[in-house]
mmCIF file with all atom_site columns, all heavy atoms in Angstrom:
data_model
loop_
_atom_site.group_PDB
_atom_site.id
_atom_site.type_symbol
_atom_site.label_atom_id
_atom_site.label_alt_id
_atom_site.label_comp_id
_atom_site.label_asym_id
_atom_site.label_entity_id
_atom_site.label_seq_id
_atom_site.pdbx_PDB_ins_code
_atom_site.Cartn_x
_atom_site.Cartn_y
_atom_site.Cartn_z
_atom_site.occupancy
_atom_site.B_iso_or_equiv
_atom_site.pdbx_formal_charge
_atom_site.auth_seq_id
_atom_site.auth_comp_id
_atom_site.auth_asym_id
_atom_site.auth_atom_id
_atom_site.pdbx_PDB_model_num
ATOM 1   N N   . ALA A 1 5   ? 103.737 96.113  96.876  1.00 39.00 ? 5   ALA A N   1
ATOM 2   C CA  . ALA A 1 5   ? 105.028 96.241  96.147  1.00 39.00 ? 5   ALA A CA  1
ATOM 3   C C   . ALA A 1 5   ? 104.768 96.897  94.804  1.00 39.00 ? 5   ALA A C   1
ATOM 4   O O   . ALA A 1 5   ? 103.684 96.554  94.134  1.00 39.00 ? 5   ALA A O   1
ATOM 5   C CB  . ALA A 1 5   ? 105.740 94.941  95.947  1.00 39.00 ? 5   ALA A CB  1
ATOM 6   N N   . ASP A 1 12  ? 114.219 105.492 86.149  1.00 47.00 ? 12  ASP A N   1
ATOM 7   C CA  . ASP A 1 12  ? 115.154 104.490 86.371  1.00 47.00 ? 12  ASP A CA  1
ATOM 8   C C   . ASP A 1 12  ? 114.512 103.129 86.763  1.00 47.00 ? 12  ASP A C   1
ATOM 9   O O   . ASP A 1 12  ? 113.345 103.033 87.023  1.00 47.00 ? 12  ASP A O   1
ATOM 10  C CB  . ASP A 1 12  ? 116.143 104.891 87.533  1.00 47.00 ? 12  ASP A CB  1
ATOM 11  C CG  . ASP A 1 12  ? 116.812 106.258 87.220  1.00 47.00 ? 12  ASP A CG  1
ATOM 12  O OD1 . ASP A 1 12  ? 117.337 106.364 86.099  1.00 47.00 ? 12  ASP A OD1 1
ATOM 13  O OD2 . ASP A 1 12  ? 116.823 107.122 88.073  1.00 47.00 ? 12  ASP A OD2 1
ATOM 14  N N   . TYR A 1 24  ? 98.962  80.685  104.723 1.00 52.00 ? 24  TYR A N   1
ATOM 15  C CA  . TYR A 1 24  ? 98.144  81.689  105.384 1.00 52.00 ? 24  TYR A CA  1
ATOM 16  C C   . TYR A 1 24  ? 97.347  81.033  106.567 1.00 52.00 ? 24  TYR A C   1
ATOM 17  O O   . TYR A 1 24  ? 96.897  81.761  107.428 1.00 52.00 ? 24  TYR A O   1
ATOM 18  C CB  . TYR A 1 24  ? 97.147  82.315  104.403 1.00 52.00 ? 24  TYR A CB  1
ATOM 19  C CG  . TYR A 1 24  ? 97.796  82.892  103.229 1.00 52.00 ? 24  TYR A CG  1
ATOM 20  C CD1 . TYR A 1 24  ? 97.326  82.651  101.923 1.00 52.00 ? 24  TYR A CD1 1
ATOM 21  C CD2 . TYR A 1 24  ? 98.912  83.730  103.367 1.00 52.00 ? 24  TYR A CD2 1
ATOM 22  C CE1 . TYR A 1 24  ? 97.962  83.241  100.832 1.00 52.00 ? 24  TYR A CE1 1
ATOM 23  C CE2 . TYR A 1 24  ? 99.494  84.346  102.273 1.00 52.00 ? 24  TYR A CE2 1
ATOM 24  C CZ  . TYR A 1 24  ? 99.041  84.038  100.982 1.00 52.00 ? 24  TYR A CZ  1
ATOM 25  O OH  . TYR A 1 24  ? 99.631  84.595  99.889  1.00 52.00 ? 24  TYR A OH  1
ATOM 26  N N   . THR A 1 25  ? 97.165  79.747  106.525 1.00 55.00 ? 25  THR A N   1
ATOM 27  C CA  . THR A 1 25  ? 96.381  79.076  107.529 1.00 55.00 ? 25  THR A CA  1
ATOM 28  C C   . THR A 1 25  ? 97.040  79.264  108.911 1.00 55.00 ? 25  THR A C   1
ATOM 29  O O   . THR A 1 25  ? 98.237  79.059  109.085 1.00 55.00 ? 25  THR A O   1
ATOM 30  C CB  . THR A 1 25  ? 96.318  77.590  107.291 1.00 55.00 ? 25  THR A CB  1
ATOM 31  O OG1 . THR A 1 25  ? 95.752  77.343  105.968 1.00 55.00 ? 25  THR A OG1 1
ATOM 32  C CG2 . THR A 1 25  ? 95.480  76.872  108.336 1.00 55.00 ? 25  THR A CG2 1
ATOM 33  N N   . SER A 1 34  ? 95.116  93.726  102.983 1.00 91.00 ? 34  SER A N   1
ATOM 34  C CA  . SER A 1 34  ? 94.364  94.377  101.916 1.00 91.00 ? 34  SER A CA  1
ATOM 35  C C   . SER A 1 34  ? 94.895  94.106  100.498 1.00 91.00 ? 34  SER A C   1
ATOM 36  O O   . SER A 1 34  ? 94.179  94.163  99.568  1.00 91.00 ? 34  SER A O   1
ATOM 37  C CB  . SER A 1 34  ? 94.273  95.891  102.189 1.00 91.00 ? 34  SER A CB  1
ATOM 38  O OG  . SER A 1 34  ? 93.665  96.181  103.424 1.00 91.00 ? 34  SER A OG  1
ATOM 39  N N   . THR A 1 49  ? 99.667  88.727  90.427  1.00 95.00 ? 49  THR A N   1
ATOM 40  C CA  . THR A 1 49  ? 98.554  88.202  91.167  1.00 95.00 ? 49  THR A CA  1
ATOM 41  C C   . THR A 1 49  ? 98.544  88.767  92.647  1.00 95.00 ? 49  THR A C   1
ATOM 42  O O   . THR A 1 49  ? 99.558  88.732  93.317  1.00 95.00 ? 49  THR A O   1
ATOM 43  C CB  . THR A 1 49  ? 98.634  86.635  91.338  1.00 95.00 ? 49  THR A CB  1
ATOM 44  O OG1 . THR A 1 49  ? 98.643  86.119  89.975  1.00 95.00 ? 49  THR A OG1 1
ATOM 45  C CG2 . THR A 1 49  ? 97.453  86.093  92.076  1.00 95.00 ? 49  THR A CG2 1
ATOM 46  N N   . ALA A 1 52  ? 95.138  88.794  97.904  1.00 91.00 ? 52  ALA A N   1
ATOM 47  C CA  . ALA A 1 52  ? 93.974  89.309  98.533  1.00 91.00 ? 52  ALA A CA  1
ATOM 48  C C   . ALA A 1 52  ? 92.789  89.409  97.608  1.00 91.00 ? 52  ALA A C   1
ATOM 49  O O   . ALA A 1 52  ? 91.674  89.733  98.060  1.00 91.00 ? 52  ALA A O   1
ATOM 50  C CB  . ALA A 1 52  ? 94.209  90.663  99.240  1.00 91.00 ? 52  ALA A CB  1
ATOM 51  N N   . VAL A 1 58  ? 98.348  95.957  84.491  1.00 95.00 ? 58  VAL A N   1
ATOM 52  C CA  . VAL A 1 58  ? 99.778  96.192  84.169  1.00 95.00 ? 58  VAL A CA  1
ATOM 53  C C   . VAL A 1 58  ? 99.920  97.281  83.122  1.00 95.00 ? 58  VAL A C   1
ATOM 54  O O   . VAL A 1 58  ? 99.212  97.297  82.112  1.00 95.00 ? 58  VAL A O   1
ATOM 55  C CB  . VAL A 1 58  ? 100.400 94.896  83.645  1.00 95.00 ? 58  VAL A CB  1
ATOM 56  C CG1 . VAL A 1 58  ? 101.850 95.116  83.298  1.00 95.00 ? 58  VAL A CG1 1
ATOM 57  C CG2 . VAL A 1 58  ? 100.252 93.769  84.644  1.00 95.00 ? 58  VAL A CG2 1
ATOM 58  N N   . GLY A 1 72  ? 111.564 83.370  96.457  1.00 90.00 ? 72  GLY A N   1
ATOM 59  C CA  . GLY A 1 72  ? 110.771 82.680  95.440  1.00 90.00 ? 72  GLY A CA  1
ATOM 60  C C   . GLY A 1 72  ? 111.289 82.642  94.004  1.00 90.00 ? 72  GLY A C   1
ATOM 61  O O   . GLY A 1 72  ? 110.635 82.109  93.152  1.00 90.00 ? 72  GLY A O   1
ATOM 62  N N   . THR A 1 77  ? 109.727 93.815  87.895  1.00 94.00 ? 77  THR A N   1
ATOM 63  C CA  . THR A 1 77  ? 110.805 94.759  87.401  1.00 94.00 ? 77  THR A CA  1
ATOM 64  C C   . THR A 1 77  ? 110.090 95.884  86.608  1.00 94.00 ? 77  THR A C   1
ATOM 65  O O   . THR A 1 77  ? 109.154 95.616  85.867  1.00 94.00 ? 77  THR A O   1
ATOM 66  C CB  . THR A 1 77  ? 111.877 94.091  86.553  1.00 94.00 ? 77  THR A CB  1
ATOM 67  O OG1 . THR A 1 77  ? 112.851 95.088  86.208  1.00 94.00 ? 77  THR A OG1 1
ATOM 68  C CG2 . THR A 1 77  ? 111.314 93.488  85.278  1.00 94.00 ? 77  THR A CG2 1
ATOM 69  N N   . GLY A 1 82  ? 107.162 104.680 82.368  1.00 86.00 ? 82  GLY A N   1
ATOM 70  C CA  . GLY A 1 82  ? 105.698 104.458 82.457  1.00 86.00 ? 82  GLY A CA  1
ATOM 71  C C   . GLY A 1 82  ? 105.297 103.146 82.939  1.00 86.00 ? 82  GLY A C   1
ATOM 72  O O   . GLY A 1 82  ? 104.142 102.714 82.773  1.00 86.00 ? 82  GLY A O   1
ATOM 73  N N   . ILE A 1 87  ? 95.552  98.818  90.869  1.00 89.00 ? 87  ILE A N   1
ATOM 74  C CA  . ILE A 1 87  ? 94.258  98.214  91.069  1.00 89.00 ? 87  ILE A CA  1
ATOM 75  C C   . ILE A 1 87  ? 93.246  99.357  91.187  1.00 89.00 ? 87  ILE A C   1
ATOM 76  O O   . ILE A 1 87  ? 93.608  100.503 91.477  1.00 89.00 ? 87  ILE A O   1
ATOM 77  C CB  . ILE A 1 87  ? 94.130  97.341  92.337  1.00 89.00 ? 87  ILE A CB  1
ATOM 78  C CG1 . ILE A 1 87  ? 94.305  98.180  93.573  1.00 89.00 ? 87  ILE A CG1 1
ATOM 79  C CG2 . ILE A 1 87  ? 95.134  96.230  92.313  1.00 89.00 ? 87  ILE A CG2 1
ATOM 80  C CD1 . ILE A 1 87  ? 93.995  97.389  94.834  1.00 89.00 ? 87  ILE A CD1 1
ATOM 81  N N   . LEU A 1 95  ? 93.280  104.647 103.983 1.00 77.00 ? 95  LEU A N   1
ATOM 82  C CA  . LEU A 1 95  ? 93.907  104.701 105.354 1.00 77.00 ? 95  LEU A CA  1
ATOM 83  C C   . LEU A 1 95  ? 93.258  105.789 106.125 1.00 77.00 ? 95  LEU A C   1
ATOM 84  O O   . LEU A 1 95  ? 93.861  106.809 106.420 1.00 77.00 ? 95  LEU A O   1
ATOM 85  C CB  . LEU A 1 95  ? 95.427  104.971 105.145 1.00 77.00 ? 95  LEU A CB  1
ATOM 86  C CG  . LEU A 1 95  ? 96.124  104.045 104.144 1.00 77.00 ? 95  LEU A CG  1
ATOM 87  C CD1 . LEU A 1 95  ? 97.624  104.336 104.178 1.00 77.00 ? 95  LEU A CD1 1
ATOM 88  C CD2 . LEU A 1 95  ? 95.867  102.565 104.554 1.00 77.00 ? 95  LEU A CD2 1
ATOM 89  N N   . ILE A 1 102 ? 102.456 99.133  105.792 1.00 94.00 ? 102 ILE A N   1
ATOM 90  C CA  . ILE A 1 102 ? 102.798 98.984  104.359 1.00 94.00 ? 102 ILE A CA  1
ATOM 91  C C   . ILE A 1 102 ? 104.252 98.502  104.333 1.00 94.00 ? 102 ILE A C   1
ATOM 92  O O   . ILE A 1 102 ? 105.098 99.201  104.952 1.00 94.00 ? 102 ILE A O   1
ATOM 93  C CB  . ILE A 1 102 ? 102.613 100.277 103.581 1.00 94.00 ? 102 ILE A CB  1
ATOM 94  C CG1 . ILE A 1 102 ? 101.188 100.787 103.655 1.00 94.00 ? 102 ILE A CG1 1
ATOM 95  C CG2 . ILE A 1 102 ? 103.041 100.064 102.109 1.00 94.00 ? 102 ILE A CG2 1
ATOM 96  C CD1 . ILE A 1 102 ? 100.974 102.125 102.983 1.00 94.00 ? 102 ILE A CD1 1
ATOM 97  N N   . SER A 1 114 ? 115.073 112.035 89.776  1.00 92.00 ? 114 SER A N   1
ATOM 98  C CA  . SER A 1 114 ? 113.963 112.721 90.487  1.00 92.00 ? 114 SER A CA  1
ATOM 99  C C   . SER A 1 114 ? 113.180 111.662 91.270  1.00 92.00 ? 114 SER A C   1
ATOM 100 O O   . SER A 1 114 ? 113.445 110.433 91.080  1.00 92.00 ? 114 SER A O   1
ATOM 101 C CB  . SER A 1 114 ? 113.081 113.467 89.550  1.00 92.00 ? 114 SER A CB  1
ATOM 102 O OG  . SER A 1 114 ? 112.510 112.640 88.576  1.00 92.00 ? 114 SER A OG  1
ATOM 103 N N   . ILE A 1 118 ? 107.336 104.467 94.994  1.00 94.00 ? 118 ILE A N   1
ATOM 104 C CA  . ILE A 1 118 ? 107.198 103.150 95.401  1.00 94.00 ? 118 ILE A CA  1
ATOM 105 C C   . ILE A 1 118 ? 105.734 102.709 95.393  1.00 94.00 ? 118 ILE A C   1
ATOM 106 O O   . ILE A 1 118 ? 105.371 101.676 94.884  1.00 94.00 ? 118 ILE A O   1
ATOM 107 C CB  . ILE A 1 118 ? 107.785 102.908 96.846  1.00 94.00 ? 118 ILE A CB  1
ATOM 108 C CG1 . ILE A 1 118 ? 109.278 103.343 96.815  1.00 94.00 ? 118 ILE A CG1 1
ATOM 109 C CG2 . ILE A 1 118 ? 107.681 101.485 97.293  1.00 94.00 ? 118 ILE A CG2 1
ATOM 110 C CD1 . ILE A 1 118 ? 109.850 103.437 98.205  1.00 94.00 ? 118 ILE A CD1 1
ATOM 111 N N   . SER A 1 143 ? 110.717 109.585 100.869 1.00 97.00 ? 143 SER A N   1
ATOM 112 C CA  . SER A 1 143 ? 109.755 110.695 101.110 1.00 97.00 ? 143 SER A CA  1
ATOM 113 C C   . SER A 1 143 ? 108.365 110.129 101.097 1.00 97.00 ? 143 SER A C   1
ATOM 114 O O   . SER A 1 143 ? 107.958 109.372 100.182 1.00 97.00 ? 143 SER A O   1
ATOM 115 C CB  . SER A 1 143 ? 109.904 111.726 99.985  1.00 97.00 ? 143 SER A CB  1
ATOM 116 O OG  . SER A 1 143 ? 108.934 112.752 100.151 1.00 97.00 ? 143 SER A OG  1
ATOM 117 N N   . GLY A 1 156 ? 98.798  118.065 102.830 1.00 78.00 ? 156 GLY A N   1
ATOM 118 C CA  . GLY A 1 156 ? 98.793  117.025 103.801 1.00 78.00 ? 156 GLY A CA  1
ATOM 119 C C   . GLY A 1 156 ? 100.095 117.130 104.632 1.00 78.00 ? 156 GLY A C   1
ATOM 120 O O   . GLY A 1 156 ? 100.580 118.249 104.900 1.00 78.00 ? 156 GLY A O   1
ATOM 121 N N   . ARG A 1 177 ? 101.695 102.757 110.946 1.00 93.00 ? 177 ARG A N   1
ATOM 122 C CA  . ARG A 1 177 ? 100.919 103.693 111.805 1.00 93.00 ? 177 ARG A CA  1
ATOM 123 C C   . ARG A 1 177 ? 100.516 103.073 113.055 1.00 93.00 ? 177 ARG A C   1
ATOM 124 O O   . ARG A 1 177 ? 99.893  101.969 113.068 1.00 93.00 ? 177 ARG A O   1
ATOM 125 C CB  . ARG A 1 177 ? 99.714  104.207 110.997 1.00 93.00 ? 177 ARG A CB  1
ATOM 126 C CG  . ARG A 1 177 ? 98.874  105.128 111.917 1.00 93.00 ? 177 ARG A CG  1
ATOM 127 C CD  . ARG A 1 177 ? 97.537  105.479 111.293 1.00 93.00 ? 177 ARG A CD  1
ATOM 128 N NE  . ARG A 1 177 ? 96.678  106.151 112.319 1.00 93.00 ? 177 ARG A NE  1
ATOM 129 C CZ  . ARG A 1 177 ? 95.415  106.566 112.085 1.00 93.00 ? 177 ARG A CZ  1
ATOM 130 N NH1 . ARG A 1 177 ? 94.877  106.396 110.923 1.00 93.00 ? 177 ARG A NH1 1
ATOM 131 N NH2 . ARG A 1 177 ? 94.724  107.073 113.060 1.00 93.00 ? 177 ARG A NH2 1
ATOM 132 N N   . ASN A 1 180 ? 98.736  107.758 116.855 1.00 89.00 ? 180 ASN A N   1
ATOM 133 C CA  . ASN A 1 180 ? 98.989  109.012 116.134 1.00 89.00 ? 180 ASN A CA  1
ATOM 134 C C   . ASN A 1 180 ? 100.411 109.090 115.581 1.00 89.00 ? 180 ASN A C   1
ATOM 135 O O   . ASN A 1 180 ? 100.881 110.224 115.228 1.00 89.00 ? 180 ASN A O   1
ATOM 136 C CB  . ASN A 1 180 ? 98.710  110.204 117.063 1.00 89.00 ? 180 ASN A CB  1
ATOM 137 C CG  . ASN A 1 180 ? 97.249  110.353 117.347 1.00 89.00 ? 180 ASN A CG  1
ATOM 138 O OD1 . ASN A 1 180 ? 96.370  109.994 116.554 1.00 89.00 ? 180 ASN A OD1 1
ATOM 139 N ND2 . ASN A 1 180 ? 96.934  110.889 118.500 1.00 89.00 ? 180 ASN A ND2 1
ATOM 140 N N   . LEU A 1 184 ? 108.855 104.692 110.367 1.00 98.00 ? 184 LEU A N   1
ATOM 141 C CA  . LEU A 1 184 ? 109.466 104.103 109.198 1.00 98.00 ? 184 LEU A CA  1
ATOM 142 C C   . LEU A 1 184 ? 110.608 103.168 109.646 1.00 98.00 ? 184 LEU A C   1
ATOM 143 O O   . LEU A 1 184 ? 111.462 103.638 110.432 1.00 98.00 ? 184 LEU A O   1
ATOM 144 C CB  . LEU A 1 184 ? 110.032 105.188 108.252 1.00 98.00 ? 184 LEU A CB  1
ATOM 145 C CG  . LEU A 1 184 ? 110.875 104.634 107.076 1.00 98.00 ? 184 LEU A CG  1
ATOM 146 C CD1 . LEU A 1 184 ? 110.012 103.854 106.121 1.00 98.00 ? 184 LEU A CD1 1
ATOM 147 C CD2 . LEU A 1 184 ? 111.544 105.758 106.382 1.00 98.00 ? 184 LEU A CD2 1
ATOM 148 N N   . ILE A 1 186 ? 113.790 100.890 108.128 1.00 98.00 ? 186 ILE A N   1
ATOM 149 C CA  . ILE A 1 186 ? 114.621 100.535 106.998 1.00 98.00 ? 186 ILE A CA  1
ATOM 150 C C   . ILE A 1 186 ? 115.460 99.357  107.356 1.00 98.00 ? 186 ILE A C   1
ATOM 151 O O   . ILE A 1 186 ? 116.275 99.453  108.306 1.00 98.00 ? 186 ILE A O   1
ATOM 152 C CB  . ILE A 1 186 ? 115.493 101.725 106.589 1.00 98.00 ? 186 ILE A CB  1
ATOM 153 C CG1 . ILE A 1 186 ? 114.628 102.930 106.127 1.00 98.00 ? 186 ILE A CG1 1
ATOM 154 C CG2 . ILE A 1 186 ? 116.457 101.285 105.360 1.00 98.00 ? 186 ILE A CG2 1
ATOM 155 C CD1 . ILE A 1 186 ? 115.442 104.107 105.766 1.00 98.00 ? 186 ILE A CD1 1
ATOM 156 N N   . ASP A 1 187 ? 115.246 98.220  106.705 1.00 97.00 ? 187 ASP A N   1
ATOM 157 C CA  . ASP A 1 187 ? 115.947 96.951  107.069 1.00 97.00 ? 187 ASP A CA  1
ATOM 158 C C   . ASP A 1 187 ? 115.795 96.647  108.555 1.00 97.00 ? 187 ASP A C   1
ATOM 159 O O   . ASP A 1 187 ? 116.732 96.251  109.237 1.00 97.00 ? 187 ASP A O   1
ATOM 160 C CB  . ASP A 1 187 ? 117.422 97.014  106.699 1.00 97.00 ? 187 ASP A CB  1
ATOM 161 C CG  . ASP A 1 187 ? 117.613 96.876  105.188 1.00 97.00 ? 187 ASP A CG  1
ATOM 162 O OD1 . ASP A 1 187 ? 116.741 96.174  104.587 1.00 97.00 ? 187 ASP A OD1 1
ATOM 163 O OD2 . ASP A 1 187 ? 118.639 97.356  104.631 1.00 97.00 ? 187 ASP A OD2 1
#
Side-chain angles (χ1 to χ4, degrees):
D12 303 313
Y24 306 131
T25 304
S34 300
T49 302
V58 179
T77 185
I87 66 171
L95 307 185
I102 301 173
S114 60
I118 302 169
S143 176
R177 175 186 169 183
N180 291 330
L184 173 66
I186 301 178
D187 283 332

